[in-house]
Amino acid sequence: MFKKKTAEDIIVDLVVYISLIFVGIVTLYPFLNVLAISFNDALDTVRGGIYIWPRKWTLKNYEIIVSNPQIYNAALVSVARTVLGTVLGIICTMFVAYPLSRKDFVLRRPFSAIMVLTMYFGAGLIPTYLLYRSLGLLNTFWVYIVPALLGMFNVVVVRSYIESLPSSLIESAKIDGASEFRILWQIIFPLTLPAVATIALFIGVGHWNSWFDVYIFNSQRPDLSTLQYELQKILASVSMQVGRNPDYQMGAMAETQQVTPNSVRASMTIVATAPIIMVYPFLQRYFVKGLTLGSVKGE
């Protein structure tokens, strides 16, 4: 039998439901507003008053993006970079996190201390550029992949998750004659899927959203341009055109002006975030558990 709710229980439930509805509205409204602006006529958007539904439907804001012939190759490069970078990043993270989680690893503490320092100190842009040039990474696809193979934060998340697993699993596998490589990929890896899914989301989003490294390290290779960099160039081009328009600067748009920086920025946001939004539901069930159990713990 169900216990009858008291007045206090009903009040608490109402407060919880109202709070969750409020948080949901606050979370969804910015995205819905950007979506509405992206499908609304640019001239009409300047008038204001667009909230979660377009007032004057149009696809002009997206046409300026898809009409760029470079955008399709850039999208393929971004997908290749994200997929390959995520897969290799997970492999490298597992190879480092597993030995650092083993208490019988003699150099565990020194290696951990040295690697943690990289989370707080960096050489700077110029030494980084010189290093990449000496390694022959400039103007190559691998300048996207190699520098991002290992992140200490991801290592800490996975290492802490592995440390939460029963040590008897590894001991039993060793008694059965399993090698360290087999223990890692056939026992530890399947059990750390929540943590792996968490860092996969971090790595993938980082690769997908990156554009500054294209500008700095691959500016002479248009064929290696990424989607984010091409979108950034489109926005800069539209902003420059509008900036030269005296009517716009005075507050009056010319009728020939079909897009504005605000409308293009909104459509760019949708194009850039749509793939991540589609992938996130598949990782969501692992994300909270992986991030919670993989939180930083003391040595």
Side-chain angles (χ1 to χ4, degrees):
M1 295 180 63
F2 293 99
K3 182 181 179 180
K4 186 178 179 180
K5 289 187 176 181
T6 63
E8 294 181 356
D9 294 334
I10 296 175
I11 293 174
V12 170
D13 289 344
L14 285 175
V15 171
V16 172
Y17 291 145
I18 293 174
S19 301
L20 291 176
I21 292 173
F22 175 76
V23 172
I25 293 174
V26 171
T27 304
L28 289 176
Y29 174 74
F31 181 79
L32 295 177
N33 178 251
V34 171
L35 183 64
I37 292 175
S38 70
F39 283 105
N40 197 74
D41 182 74
L43 295 175
D44 184 69
T45 302
V46 175
R47 294 166 46 198
I50 305 298
Y51 299 105
I52 63 174
W53 194 258
R55 186 167 50 220
K56 189 175 180 181
W57 288 83
T58 184
L59 294 176
K60 292 291 184 182
N61 301 322
Y62 290 94
E63 288 178 1
I64 194 172
I65 295 177
V66 299
S67 62
N68 185 351
Q70 184 66 21
I71 204 74
Y72 302 101
N73 181 73
L76 292 176
V77 173
S78 290
V79 171
R81 169 184 181 170
T82 302
V83 173
L84 184 61
T86 302
V87 172
L88 294 179
I90 291 173
I91 294 174
C92 291
T93 301
M94 291 298 299
F95 274 132
V96 175
Y98 176 65
L100 291 181
S101 68
R102 298 288 300 274
K103 295 182 179 180
D104 55 348
F105 179 43
V106 179
L107 299 178
R108 176 191 182 197
R109 289 182 180 273
F111 272 109
S112 297
I114 293 173
M115 296 186 68
V116 166
L117 289 177
T118 63
M119 298 175 61
Y120 302 101
F121 302 100
L125 182 59
I126 294 178
T128 300
Y129 183 90
L130 296 177
L131 175 63
Y132 291 176
R133 186 178 66 178
S134 64
L135 295 175
L137 294 176
L138 296 184
N139 298 311
T140 66
F141 178 77
W142 295 105
V143 75
Y144 303 144
I145 306 299
V146 175
L149 284 177
L150 193 65
M152 189 54 198
F153 176 79
N154 298 331
V155 172
V156 170
V157 170
V158 177
R159 183 197 66 181
S160 299
Y161 195 97
I162 296 175
E163 289 175 345
S164 68
L165 299 176
S167 58
S168 58
L169 292 173
I170 299 177
E171 295 173 359
S172 300
K174 282 188 173 183
I175 293 175
D176 292 337
S179 63
E180 295 288 354
F181 187 84
R182 186 173 183 181
I183 293 174
L184 173 60
W185 293 112
Q186 293 189 3
I187 298 177
I188 301 300
F189 182 75
L191 295 175
T192 57
L193 282 182
V196 170
T198 301
I199 67 168
L201 185 63
F202 290 156
I203 299 173
V205 171
H207 277 291
W208 180 259
N209 288 336
S210 183
W211 68 271
F212 189 68
D213 51 0
V214 186
Y215 175 71
I216 297 296
F217 306 120
N218 265 350
S219 58
Q220 299 180 12
R221 292 288 302 274
D223 58 313
L224 293 179
S225 179
T226 62
L227 178 63
Q228 307 298 335
Y229 184 58
E230 291 301 319
L231 293 176
Q232 178 69 20
K233 285 167 44 177
I234 292 174
L235 178 61
S237 176
V238 172
S239 301
M240 185 177 299
Q241 293 176 10
V242 171
R244 293 175 180 174
N245 188 339
D247 293 333
Y248 181 81
Q249 294 175 355
M250 295 171 55
M253 285 278 300
E255 291 298 327
T256 56
Q257 186 69 39
Q258 297 180 339
V259 295
T260 65
N262 190 32
S263 61
V264 172
R265 187 181 296 110
S267 60
M268 285 171 48
T269 302
I270 300 301
V271 170
T273 57
I276 300 299
I277 293 176
M278 290 187 291
V279 172
Y280 182 76
F282 298 98
L283 302 177
Q284 184 180 13
R285 62 183 182 136
Y286 298 109
F287 187 78
V288 175
K289 183 179 179 182
L291 194 58
T292 302
L293 295 182
S295 58
V296 180
K297 302 191 301 182
E299 290 285 343

